[in-house]
Amino acid sequence: MAVDLSMPVLVVDDYKTMIRIIRNLLKQLGFTNVDDAADGTEALAKMRGRPYGLVISDWNMEPMTGYELLKEVRSDDQLKPTPFIMITAESKTENVIAAKKAGVNNYIVKPFNAATLKTKITAVLGDF
Amino acid sequence: MSASKKSIEPMLEDIASQIRGMKSDSLALPDILKLADVMVVSMRGFFDQLDASIYKELTDVSAFINNARSEIGRLQPANLKEKHFPEAGKELDAIVQSTEAATNTIMEQAELIMEADPEDMEAYHATVQAGIMEIFQACSFQDITGQRISKVVSTLVHIEEKIGALADVLGSSIEEVPIEETAEEKRARELLLNGPALEGEGIDQSEVDDLMGDASSQDDIDALFD
């Protein structure tokens, strides 16, 4: 089944420029319904307000990190199925494993390009 | 001290046995004063030697403090606090501001180009040309930022040299005191990452992909934690 490019996508990052970059990359990839949040707390509130087809989240944020957001999402029966891609500037084996153990669907290391983003979204959602 | 101690011991013993023979209420003041006098003589040698060893210790401590004070003086703590640290902070703030401003300019122009209508070729061409010029100009931040970073690095090297000299003087006498971790620091250590890795550190996207692929089952992941 083809990916619905009009599905709501939530980008979570405390750095406005990174949100802008990811928004523009998603726009270039064809996604038309992109929302954003500045940290895990705001993202969780938004996710409880409406369903999202994909969450792309940074790890390093306060007061709630992307890792904490992921664990909250995976422990919530309603939010649990939401595809979740983690993006971080720091890549340590233990972090990747911890994220995988917490139920992340894919993991992107900054800096990244549109091709990497597309590859990871395809791996999670299927071809588009 | 041992010779004088030997000669005084019989005298002390003699006085002590006399006192032992007396009733407590018949002790005369001259007897007590005599005993005190003998004790003072006997202890003088001991205190003389003690004074010499304490004097040497105090001289060493004084020399150590003077040396440390001299090094702290060279460290110029007031200069660091009032000049070097604030200047380095200002430079770093300026770097953040200039990179943010340049990034915004570049992204605005890129967005304008992305949204330009290619149907109107003349307007499209003008938008692209103007955007490219703006992007080139914005990239000049790199030169200024490089100079600012050099100044901050110089400050850090200056501080490193001064503290290194102080540490050399204090040497092994410094006992490293364990610092108690605050709740905030514990949270940051456990949940927040330390920022971008330097080249050669951390793992790249292909290694991340391998980890995501290889550790495909919960058992595989659990095994990595054992």
Side-chain angles (χ1 to χ4, degrees):
Chain A
M1 197 174 79
V3 174
D4 176 10
L5 294 174
S6 65
M7 70 177 182
V9 178
L10 182 61
V11 179
V12 193
D13 203 305
D14 57 349
Y15 191 43
K16 282 180 186 170
T17 305
M18 187 48 68
I19 285 183
R20 200 166 166 183
I21 290 168
I22 298 172
R23 270 182 168 277
N24 280 322
L25 290 176
L26 288 171
K27 195 173 173 183
Q28 284 291 84
L29 294 176
F31 289 92
T32 56
N33 190 1
V34 182
D35 195 2
D36 62 71
D39 78 286
T41 314
E42 189 185 339
L44 200 58
K46 285 196 170 190
M47 290 179 78
R48 285 182 174 140
R50 66 182 284 208
Y52 286 90
L54 175 66
V55 174
I56 300 173
S57 176
D58 183 31
W59 183 308
N60 259 349
M61 296 174 295
E62 288 282 24
M64 186 191 283
T65 66
Y67 178 63
E68 289 171 309
L69 171 65
L70 171 65
K71 290 204 288 188
E72 286 283 343
V73 169
R74 291 294 178 250
S75 63
D76 183 309
D77 284 342
Q78 279 209 314
L79 304 179
K80 194 183 279 184
T82 313
F84 198 113
I85 296 176
M86 187 77 82
I87 297 183
T88 71
E90 186 186 41
S91 51
K92 282 188 178 169
T93 305
E94 57 265 36
N95 300 132
V96 181
I97 294 168
K100 172 94 180 175
K101 192 178 182 185
V104 79
N105 296 95
N106 224 308
Y107 198 103
I108 299 175
V109 179
K110 291 179 189 174
F112 59 94
N113 55 29
T116 303
L117 185 63
K118 183 173 185 184
T119 305
K120 301 305 165 197
I121 294 174
T122 303
V124 173
L125 301 178
D127 288 328
F128 64 95
Chain B
M1 191 179 81
S2 57
S4 59
K5 189 182 171 189
K6 275 181 184 170
S7 61
I8 286 161
E9 268 176 2
M11 289 169 64
L12 279 171
E13 186 54 41
D14 183 43
I15 295 164
S17 60
Q18 283 179 40
I19 291 170
R20 273 189 222 108
M22 295 175 182
K23 287 182 182 171
S24 59
D25 59 353
S26 65
L27 273 176
L29 183 61
D31 293 326
I32 295 168
L33 288 175
K34 193 176 167 187
L35 178 64
D37 189 41
V38 172
M39 286 184 73
V40 167
V41 171
S42 71
M43 298 300 284
R44 183 168 294 145
F46 171 72
F47 282 118
D48 284 348
Q49 203 177 63
L50 200 64
D51 283 350
S53 89
I54 288 174
Y55 178 77
K56 188 180 178 312
E57 283 289 322
L58 289 175
T59 308
D60 288 348
V61 169
S62 169
F64 181 83
I65 291 170
N66 278 336
N67 214 357
R69 192 166 62 181
S70 164
E71 281 306 322
I72 291 169
R74 284 198 199 98
L75 187 62
Q76 297 180 312
N79 202 19
L80 283 178
K81 189 181 167 192
E82 287 158 21
K83 183 170 176 267
H84 291 289
F85 287 140
E87 280 182 6
K90 280 182 195 166
E91 296 292 352
L92 290 173
D93 284 343
I95 289 167
V96 171
Q97 284 165 14
S98 62
T99 51
E100 193 175 347
T103 304
N104 277 334
T105 303
I106 292 167
M107 291 193 74
E108 272 167 20
Q109 295 306 317
E111 284 166 3
L112 282 174
I113 292 170
M114 205 163 78
E115 285 157 15
D117 180 9
E119 294 293 318
D120 184 349
M121 212 42 212
E122 200 174 324
Y124 182 75
H125 182 74
T127 303
V128 171
Q129 283 294 324
I132 287 171
M133 287 310 293
E134 286 286 333
I135 289 169
F136 279 144
Q137 287 169 42
C139 287
S140 66
F141 82 92
Q142 203 277 336
D143 175 39
I144 299 160
T145 300
Q147 291 177 44
R148 290 193 192 283
I149 289 171
S150 294
K151 284 165 82 176
V152 175
V153 170
S154 299
T155 300
L156 290 175
V157 168
H158 173 78
I159 294 165
E160 185 188 13
E161 284 171 354
K162 300 289 181 186
I163 290 179
L166 181 62
D168 286 344
V169 168
L170 297 176
S172 58
S173 63
I174 302 175
E175 189 181 337
E176 290 192 9
V177 181
I179 299 167
E180 203 167 318
E181 195 175 47
T182 63
E184 196 178 333
E185 287 167 340
K186 186 171 184 289
R187 177 183 153 75
R189 178 174 55 77
E190 288 178 349
L191 290 173
L192 294 173
L193 306 183
N194 296 318
L198 293 170
E199 199 171 320
E201 295 176 4
I203 51 176
D204 62 21
Q205 186 65 56
S206 64
E207 290 166 303
V208 169
D209 294 345
D210 288 344
L211 276 171
M212 292 296 293
D214 290 344
S216 53
S217 73
Q218 191 61 57
D219 287 343
D220 290 337
I221 296 158
D222 291 344
L224 288 164
F225 281 88
D226 291 338

Coordinates of all heavy atoms in Angstrom, one line a residue, chain B residues 16-97:
Chain B
A16 N 58.7 11.9 94.4 CA 57.4 11.2 94.3 C 57.2 10.3 95.5 O 56.1 10.2 96.1 CB 57.3 10.5 93.0
S17 N 58.3 9.6 95.9 CA 58.2 8.7 97.0 C 57.9 9.4 98.3 O 57.2 9.0 99.2 CB 59.4 7.7 97.1 OG 60.5 8.5 97.3
Q18 N 58.6 10.6 98.5 CA 58.3 11.4 99.7 C 56.8 11.9 99.7 O 56.2 11.8 100.8 CB 59.2 12.7 99.6 CG 60.6 12.5 100.0 CD 61.4 13.8 99.9 OE1 60.9 14.8 100.3 NE2 62.6 13.7 99.3
I19 N 56.3 12.3 98.6 CA 54.9 12.7 98.5 C 54.0 11.6 98.8 O 53.0 11.7 99.5 CB 54.6 13.4 97.2 CG1 55.4 14.7 97.0 CG2 53.1 13.6 97.0 CD1 55.3 15.3 95.7
R20 N 54.3 10.4 98.3 CA 53.5 9.2 98.5 C 53.4 8.9 100.0 O 52.3 8.5 100.5 CB 54.0 8.0 97.8 CG 53.6 7.9 96.4 CD 54.0 6.5 95.7 NE 54.4 6.7 94.4 CZ 55.7 6.6 93.9 NH1 56.7 6.3 94.8 NH2 56.0 6.9 92.7
G21 N 54.5 9.2 100.8 CA 54.6 8.9 102.2 C 53.8 9.9 103.0 O 53.5 9.7 104.2
M22 N 53.5 11.0 102.4 CA 52.7 12.1 103.2 C 51.2 11.8 103.1 O 50.7 11.2 102.2 CB 53.0 13.4 102.6 CG 54.5 13.9 102.7 SD 54.7 15.4 101.9 CE 56.4 15.7 102.1
K23 N 50.5 12.4 104.1 CA 49.1 12.4 104.0 C 48.7 13.5 103.1 O 49.4 14.6 103.0 CB 48.5 12.6 105.4 CG 48.6 11.4 106.3 CD 48.0 11.7 107.6 CE 48.1 10.5 108.6 NZ 47.7 10.8 109.9
S24 N 47.6 13.3 102.4 CA 47.2 14.3 101.4 C 47.0 15.7 102.0 O 47.3 16.8 101.4 CB 46.0 13.9 100.6 OG 44.9 13.7 101.6
D25 N 46.5 15.8 103.2 CA 46.3 17.1 103.8 C 47.5 17.7 104.4 O 47.5 18.8 104.9 CB 45.1 17.0 104.9 CG 45.5 16.0 106.0 OD1 46.6 15.3 105.9 OD2 44.7 15.9 107.0
S26 N 48.7 16.9 104.4 CA 49.9 17.5 105.0 C 50.9 17.9 103.9 O 52.0 18.2 104.2 CB 50.5 16.6 105.9 OG 51.0 15.4 105.3
L27 N 50.5 17.9 102.6 CA 51.4 18.3 101.5 C 51.7 19.8 101.6 O 50.8 20.6 101.6 CB 50.7 18.0 100.1 CG 50.8 16.6 99.6 CD1 50.0 16.5 98.3 CD2 52.2 16.3 99.3
A28 N 53.0 20.0 101.6 CA 53.4 21.4 101.7 C 53.6 22.0 100.3 O 54.0 21.3 99.3 CB 54.8 21.5 102.5
L29 N 53.3 23.3 100.2 CA 53.4 24.0 98.9 C 54.9 23.9 98.4 O 55.1 23.7 97.2 CB 53.0 25.5 99.1 CG 53.0 26.3 97.9 CD1 52.0 25.8 96.8 CD2 52.6 27.8 98.2
P30 N 55.9 24.0 99.2 CA 57.3 24.0 98.7 C 57.5 22.6 98.0 O 58.2 22.5 97.0 CB 58.2 24.1 99.9 CG 57.3 24.9 100.9 CD 55.9 24.4 100.6
D31 N 56.9 21.5 98.6 CA 57.1 20.2 97.9 C 56.6 20.2 96.5 O 57.2 19.6 95.6 CB 56.5 19.1 98.8 CG 57.2 19.0 100.1 OD1 58.4 19.2 100.2 OD2 56.5 18.7 101.1
I32 N 55.4 20.7 96.4 CA 54.7 20.7 95.1 C 55.5 21.6 94.1 O 55.7 21.2 93.0 CB 53.2 21.2 95.3 CG1 52.4 20.2 96.1 CG2 52.6 21.4 93.9 CD1 51.1 20.7 96.6
L33 N 55.9 22.7 94.6 CA 56.7 23.6 93.7 C 58.0 23.0 93.3 O 58.4 23.1 92.1 CB 57.0 25.0 94.4 CG 55.8 25.9 94.6 CD1 56.2 27.1 95.5 CD2 55.3 26.3 93.3
K34 N 58.6 22.2 94.2 CA 59.8 21.5 93.9 C 59.6 20.5 92.8 O 60.4 20.4 91.9 CB 60.4 20.8 95.2 CG 61.8 20.3 95.1 CD 62.1 19.8 96.5 CE 63.4 19.0 96.5 NZ 63.7 18.3 97.7
L35 N 58.5 19.8 93.0 CA 58.1 18.7 91.9 C 57.9 19.4 90.6 O 58.4 18.9 89.6 CB 56.9 18.0 92.4 CG 56.4 17.0 91.4 CD1 57.4 15.8 91.2 CD2 55.0 16.4 91.8
A36 N 57.2 20.5 90.6 CA 56.9 21.2 89.4 C 58.2 21.7 88.7 O 58.4 21.6 87.5 CB 56.0 22.4 89.7
D37 N 59.1 22.2 89.5 CA 60.4 22.7 89.0 C 61.2 21.6 88.3 O 61.7 21.8 87.2 CB 61.2 23.3 90.2 CG 62.4 24.1 89.7 OD1 62.3 24.8 88.7 OD2 63.5 23.9 90.3
V38 N 61.2 20.5 89.0 CA 62.0 19.3 88.4 C 61.3 18.9 87.1 O 62.0 18.6 86.1 CB 62.0 18.1 89.5 CG1 62.6 16.9 88.8 CG2 62.8 18.5 90.7
M39 N 60.0 18.9 87.1 CA 59.3 18.5 85.9 C 59.6 19.5 84.7 O 59.8 19.1 83.6 CB 57.8 18.4 86.1 CG 57.4 17.2 86.9 SD 55.6 17.1 87.1 CE 55.2 16.6 85.5
V40 N 59.6 20.7 85.0 CA 59.9 21.7 84.0 C 61.3 21.5 83.4 O 61.5 21.5 82.2 CB 59.8 23.2 84.6 CG1 60.4 24.2 83.6 CG2 58.3 23.5 84.8
V41 N 62.3 21.3 84.3 CA 63.6 21.0 83.8 C 63.7 19.8 82.9 O 64.3 19.7 81.9 CB 64.6 20.9 85.0 CG1 66.0 20.4 84.5 CG2 64.7 22.2 85.8
S42 N 63.0 18.7 83.4 CA 63.0 17.5 82.6 C 62.3 17.6 81.3 O 62.7 16.9 80.3 CB 62.3 16.4 83.5 OG 60.9 16.6 83.5
M43 N 61.3 18.4 81.2 CA 60.6 18.5 79.9 C 61.2 19.5 78.9 O 60.9 19.5 77.7 CB 59.1 19.0 80.2 CG 58.3 18.0 81.0 SD 58.2 16.3 80.3 CE 57.0 16.6 79.0
R44 N 62.1 20.4 79.4 CA 62.7 21.4 78.5 C 63.3 20.9 77.3 O 63.1 21.3 76.2 CB 63.6 22.3 79.3 CG 64.2 23.5 78.5 CD 64.9 24.5 79.3 NE 64.0 25.1 80.3 CZ 64.4 25.5 81.5 NH1 65.6 25.3 81.9 NH2 63.6 26.2 82.3
G45 N 64.1 19.8 77.5 CA 64.8 19.2 76.3 C 63.8 18.7 75.3 O 64.0 18.9 74.1
F46 N 62.8 18.1 75.8 CA 61.7 17.5 74.9 C 61.1 18.7 74.1 O 61.0 18.6 72.9 CB 60.7 16.8 75.7 CG 59.5 16.4 74.9 CD1 59.5 15.3 74.0 CD2 58.3 17.1 75.1 CE1 58.4 15.0 73.3 CE2 57.2 16.7 74.4 CZ 57.2 15.7 73.5
F47 N 60.8 19.8 74.8 CA 60.1 20.9 74.1 C 61.1 21.5 73.1 O 60.7 22.0 72.0 CB 59.5 21.9 75.1 CG 58.2 21.4 75.7 CD1 58.1 21.2 77.0 CD2 57.1 21.2 74.8 CE1 56.9 20.8 77.5 CE2 55.9 20.8 75.4 CZ 55.8 20.6 76.7
D48 N 62.4 21.6 73.5 CA 63.4 22.2 72.6 C 63.4 21.4 71.3 O 63.4 22.0 70.2 CB 64.8 22.2 73.3 CG 64.9 23.2 74.3 OD1 64.0 24.1 74.4 OD2 65.9 23.2 75.1
Q49 N 63.4 20.1 71.4 CA 63.5 19.3 70.2 C 62.2 19.4 69.4 O 62.2 19.5 68.1 CB 63.7 17.8 70.6 CG 64.3 17.0 69.4 CD 64.6 15.6 69.9 OE1 63.7 14.9 70.2 NE2 65.9 15.2 69.9
L50 N 61.1 19.4 70.1 CA 59.8 19.6 69.5 C 59.7 20.9 68.7 O 59.2 20.9 67.6 CB 58.7 19.5 70.6 CG 57.3 19.2 70.1 CD1 57.2 17.8 69.6 CD2 56.3 19.4 71.3
D51 N 60.2 22.0 69.3 CA 60.2 23.3 68.7 C 60.9 23.2 67.3 O 60.5 23.8 66.3 CB 60.8 24.3 69.6 CG 59.9 24.7 70.7 OD1 58.7 24.4 70.6 OD2 60.3 25.4 71.6
A52 N 62.1 22.5 67.3 CA 62.9 22.5 66.1 C 62.2 21.8 65.0 O 62.1 22.2 63.9 CB 64.2 21.8 66.4
S53 N 61.5 20.6 65.3 CA 60.8 19.9 64.3 C 59.6 20.7 63.8 O 59.3 20.7 62.6 CB 60.4 18.5 64.8 OG 59.2 18.5 65.4
I54 N 58.8 21.3 64.8 CA 57.7 22.1 64.3 C 58.1 23.3 63.5 O 57.5 23.6 62.5 CB 56.9 22.6 65.6 CG1 56.1 21.4 66.2 CG2 55.9 23.7 65.2 CD1 55.5 21.8 67.5
Y55 N 59.2 23.9 63.9 CA 59.7 25.0 63.1 C 60.0 24.6 61.7 O 59.6 25.3 60.7 CB 61.0 25.6 63.8 CG 61.6 26.7 63.0 CD1 61.1 28.0 63.1 CD2 62.7 26.5 62.2 CE1 61.6 29.1 62.4 CE2 63.3 27.6 61.5 CZ 62.8 28.8 61.6 OH 63.3 29.9 60.9
K56 N 60.6 23.4 61.5 CA 60.9 23.0 60.1 C 59.6 22.8 59.3 O 59.5 23.1 58.2 CB 61.8 21.7 60.2 CG 62.3 21.3 58.8 CD 63.1 20.0 58.9 CE 63.6 19.6 57.5 NZ 62.5 19.6 56.5
E57 N 58.7 22.1 60.0 CA 57.4 21.8 59.4 C 56.7 23.1 58.9 O 56.3 23.3 57.8 CB 56.4 21.1 60.3 CG 56.7 19.6 60.5 CD 56.4 18.8 59.3 OE1 55.4 19.1 58.6 OE2 57.2 17.9 58.9
L58 N 56.7 24.1 59.9 CA 56.1 25.4 59.6 C 56.8 26.1 58.4 O 56.2 26.8 57.6 CB 56.0 26.3 60.8 CG 55.1 25.8 61.9 CD1 55.2 26.7 63.1 CD2 53.6 25.8 61.4
T59 N 58.1 26.0 58.4 CA 58.9 26.7 57.4 C 58.6 26.1 56.0 O 58.4 26.8 55.0 CB 60.4 26.5 57.6 OG1 60.7 26.9 58.9 CG2 61.3 27.3 56.6
D60 N 58.4 24.7 56.0 CA 58.1 24.0 54.7 C 56.7 24.5 54.3 O 56.4 24.7 53.1 CB 58.1 22.5 54.9 CG 59.5 22.0 55.1 OD1 60.4 22.7 54.8 OD2 59.6 20.8 55.5
V61 N 55.7 24.5 55.3 CA 54.4 24.9 54.9 C 54.3 26.4 54.4 O 53.7 26.7 53.4 CB 53.4 24.8 56.2 CG1 52.1 25.5 55.9 CG2 53.2 23.4 56.5
S62 N 55.1 27.2 55.0 CA 55.2 28.6 54.6 C 55.7 28.7 53.2 O 55.2 29.5 52.3 CB 56.1 29.4 55.6 OG 56.4 30.6 55.1
A63 N 56.8 27.9 52.9 CA 57.4 28.0 51.5 C 56.4 27.5 50.5 O 56.3 28.0 49.4 CB 58.7 27.1 51.5
F64 N 55.6 26.4 50.9 CA 54.6 25.8 50.0 C 53.5 26.9 49.7 O 53.1 27.1 48.6 CB 54.0 24.6 50.7 CG 53.0 23.9 49.9 CD1 53.4 23.0 48.9 CD2 51.7 24.1 50.1 CE1 52.4 22.3 48.2 CE2 50.7 23.5 49.4 CZ 51.1 22.6 48.4
I65 N 53.1 27.5 50.8 CA 52.0 28.5 50.6 C 52.5 29.7 49.7 O 51.8 30.2 48.8 CB 51.5 29.0 52.0 CG1 50.8 27.9 52.7 CG2 50.6 30.3 51.8 CD1 50.4 28.2 54.1
N66 N 53.8 30.1 50.0 CA 54.3 31.2 49.2 C 54.4 30.9 47.7 O 54.1 31.7 46.9 CB 55.7 31.6 49.7 CG 55.6 32.5 50.9 OD1 54.6 33.2 51.1 ND2 56.6 32.5 51.8
N67 N 54.8 29.6 47.5 CA 55.0 29.2 46.1 C 53.6 29.1 45.4 O 53.4 29.6 44.3 CB 55.6 27.8 46.2 CG 56.5 27.5 45.0 OD1 56.6 28.4 44.1 ND2 57.1 26.4 45.0
A68 N 52.6 28.5 46.2 CA 51.3 28.4 45.6 C 50.7 29.8 45.4 O 50.0 30.1 44.3 CB 50.4 27.6 46.5
R69 N 50.9 30.7 46.3 CA 50.4 32.1 46.2 C 51.0 32.8 45.0 O 50.3 33.5 44.2 CB 50.7 32.9 47.5 CG 49.9 34.2 47.5 CD 49.9 34.8 48.9 NE 51.2 35.2 49.3 CZ 51.5 35.7 50.4 NH1 50.6 36.0 51.3 NH2 52.8 36.1 50.7
S70 N 52.3 32.5 44.8 CA 53.0 33.1 43.7 C 52.4 32.6 42.3 O 52.1 33.4 41.4 CB 54.4 32.8 43.8 OG 55.1 33.0 42.6
E71 N 52.1 31.3 42.3 CA 51.5 30.7 41.1 C 50.1 31.2 40.8 O 49.7 31.5 39.7 CB 51.5 29.2 41.1 CG 52.9 28.5 40.8 CD 53.5 29.0 39.5 OE1 52.7 29.1 38.5 OE2 54.7 29.2 39.4
I72 N 49.3 31.3 41.9 CA 47.9 31.8 41.8 C 48.0 33.3 41.3 O 47.2 33.7 40.5 CB 47.2 31.7 43.2 CG1 46.9 30.2 43.5 CG2 45.9 32.4 43.1 CD1 46.4 29.9 44.9
G73 N 49.0 34.0 41.8 CA 49.2 35.4 41.3 C 49.4 35.4 39.9 O 48.9 36.3 39.1
R74 N 50.3 34.5 39.4 CA 50.6 34.4 37.9 C 49.3 34.0 37.2 O 49.2 34.4 36.0 CB 51.7 33.5 37.7 CG 53.1 34.0 38.0 CD 54.2 33.2 37.4 NE 55.4 33.5 38.1 CZ 55.9 32.7 39.0 NH1 55.4 31.6 39.3 NH2 57.1 33.0 39.6
L75 N 48.5 33.2 37.8 CA 47.2 32.8 37.1 C 46.3 34.0 36.9 O 45.5 34.0 36.0 CB 46.5 31.8 38.1 CG 45.3 31.1 37.6 CD1 45.6 30.2 36.4 CD2 44.7 30.2 38.6
Q76 N 46.5 35.1 37.6 CA 45.8 36.3 37.5 C 44.3 36.0 37.5 O 43.6 36.3 36.5 CB 46.1 37.1 36.2 CG 47.6 37.5 36.3 CD 48.0 38.3 35.0 OE1 47.7 37.8 33.9 NE2 48.6 39.4 35.2
P77 N 43.8 35.5 38.7 CA 42.3 35.1 38.7 C 41.4 36.3 38.4 O 40.4 36.1 37.8 CB 42.2 34.6 40.1 CG 43.4 35.0 40.9 CD 44.5 35.2 39.9
A78 N 41.8 37.5 38.9 CA 40.9 38.6 38.6 C 40.8 38.9 37.1 O 39.8 39.2 36.6 CB 41.4 39.9 39.4
N79 N 42.0 38.8 36.5 CA 42.1 39.0 35.0 C 41.2 38.0 34.3 O 40.5 38.3 33.3 CB 43.5 38.9 34.6 CG 43.8 39.7 33.3 OD1 43.0 40.5 32.9 ND2 44.9 39.3 32.7
L80 N 41.3 36.7 34.8 CA 40.5 35.7 34.1 C 39.0 36.0 34.3 O 38.2 35.9 33.3 CB 40.8 34.3 34.8 CG 42.1 33.6 34.4 CD1 42.2 32.3 35.2 CD2 42.2 33.3 32.9
K81 N 38.6 36.4 35.5 CA 37.2 36.6 35.8 C 36.7 37.8 35.1 O 35.5 37.8 34.6 CB 37.1 36.7 37.3 CG 35.6 36.7 37.8 CD 35.6 36.9 39.3 CE 34.2 37.2 39.8 NZ 34.2 37.6 41.2
E82 N 37.5 38.9 35.1 CA 37.0 40.1 34.6 C 37.2 40.3 33.1 O 36.5 41.1 32.4 CB 37.5 41.3 35.3 CG 37.0 41.4 36.7 CD 37.9 42.2 37.7 OE1 38.7 43.0 37.2 OE2 37.7 42.0 38.9
K83 N 38.2 39.6 32.6 CA 38.6 39.9 31.1 C 38.4 38.6 30.3 O 37.6 38.6 29.4 CB 40.0 40.3 31.1 CG 40.5 40.7 29.7 CD 41.9 41.4 29.8 CE 42.4 41.7 28.4 NZ 43.3 40.6 27.9
H84 N 39.2 37.6 30.6 CA 39.2 36.4 29.7 C 37.9 35.7 29.6 O 37.4 35.4 28.5 CB 40.3 35.4 30.1 CG 41.7 36.0 29.9 ND1 42.3 36.1 28.7 CD2 42.6 36.4 30.8 CE1 43.5 36.6 28.8 NE2 43.7 36.8 30.1
F85 N 37.3 35.3 30.7 CA 36.0 34.6 30.7 C 34.9 35.4 30.0 O 34.2 34.8 29.1 CB 35.6 34.1 32.1 CG 36.4 33.0 32.6 CD1 36.8 33.0 33.9 CD2 36.9 31.9 31.8 CE1 37.6 31.9 34.5 CE2 37.6 30.9 32.3 CZ 38.0 30.9 33.6
P86 N 34.7 36.6 30.4 CA 33.6 37.4 29.8 C 33.8 37.6 28.3 O 32.9 37.5 27.5 CB 33.6 38.8 30.5 CG 34.3 38.5 31.8 CD 35.3 37.4 31.5
E87 N 35.1 37.8 27.9 CA 35.4 38.0 26.4 C 35.1 36.7 25.7 O 34.6 36.7 24.6 CB 36.8 38.5 26.2 CG 37.0 39.9 26.5 CD 38.4 40.4 26.3 OE1 39.2 39.7 25.8 OE2 38.6 41.6 26.6
A88 N 35.6 35.6 26.2 CA 35.3 34.3 25.6 C 33.8 34.0 25.4 O 33.3 33.6 24.4 CB 36.0 33.2 26.3
G89 N 33.1 34.4 26.5 CA 31.6 34.2 26.5 C 31.0 35.1 25.4 O 30.1 34.6 24.7
K90 N 31.4 36.3 25.3 CA 30.9 37.2 24.3 C 31.2 36.7 22.9 O 30.3 36.8 22.0 CB 31.5 38.6 24.4 CG 30.9 39.4 25.5 CD 31.5 40.8 25.6 CE 31.2 41.5 26.8 NZ 32.1 42.7 27.0
E91 N 32.4 36.2 22.7 CA 32.8 35.6 21.4 C 31.9 34.5 21.0 O 31.4 34.4 19.9 CB 34.2 35.2 21.3 CG 35.3 36.3 21.5 CD 35.4 37.3 20.4 OE1 34.7 37.0 19.4 OE2 36.1 38.3 20.5
L92 N 31.6 33.6 22.0 CA 30.8 32.4 21.7 C 29.3 32.8 21.4 O 28.7 32.3 20.5 CB 30.8 31.4 22.9 CG 32.2 30.7 23.1 CD1 32.2 29.9 24.4 CD2 32.5 29.8 21.9
D93 N 28.8 33.8 22.2 CA 27.5 34.3 21.9 C 27.4 34.9 20.5 O 26.4 34.7 19.7 CB 27.1 35.5 22.9 CG 26.8 34.9 24.2 OD1 26.5 33.7 24.3 OD2 26.8 35.6 25.2
A94 N 28.5 35.6 20.1 CA 28.5 36.3 18.8 C 28.5 35.2 17.7 O 27.9 35.3 16.6 CB 29.7 37.2 18.6
I95 N 29.2 34.1 18.0 CA 29.3 33.0 17.0 C 27.9 32.4 16.8 O 27.4 32.1 15.7 CB 30.3 31.9 17.5 CG1 31.7 32.4 17.4 CG2 30.1 30.6 16.7 CD1 32.8 31.6 18.1
V96 N 27.2 32.1 17.9 CA 25.9 31.5 17.9 C 24.9 32.5 17.1 O 24.2 32.0 16.2 CB 25.3 31.3 19.3 CG1 23.8 30.9 19.2 CG2 26.1 30.2 20.0
Q97 N 25.0 33.8 17.4 CA 24.1 34.7 16.7 C 24.4 34.8 15.2 O 23.5 34.8 14.4 CB 24.3 36.1 17.3 CG 23.6 36.2 18.6 CD 24.0 37.5 19.4 OE1 24.6 38.4 18.9 NE2 23.7 37.5 20.7

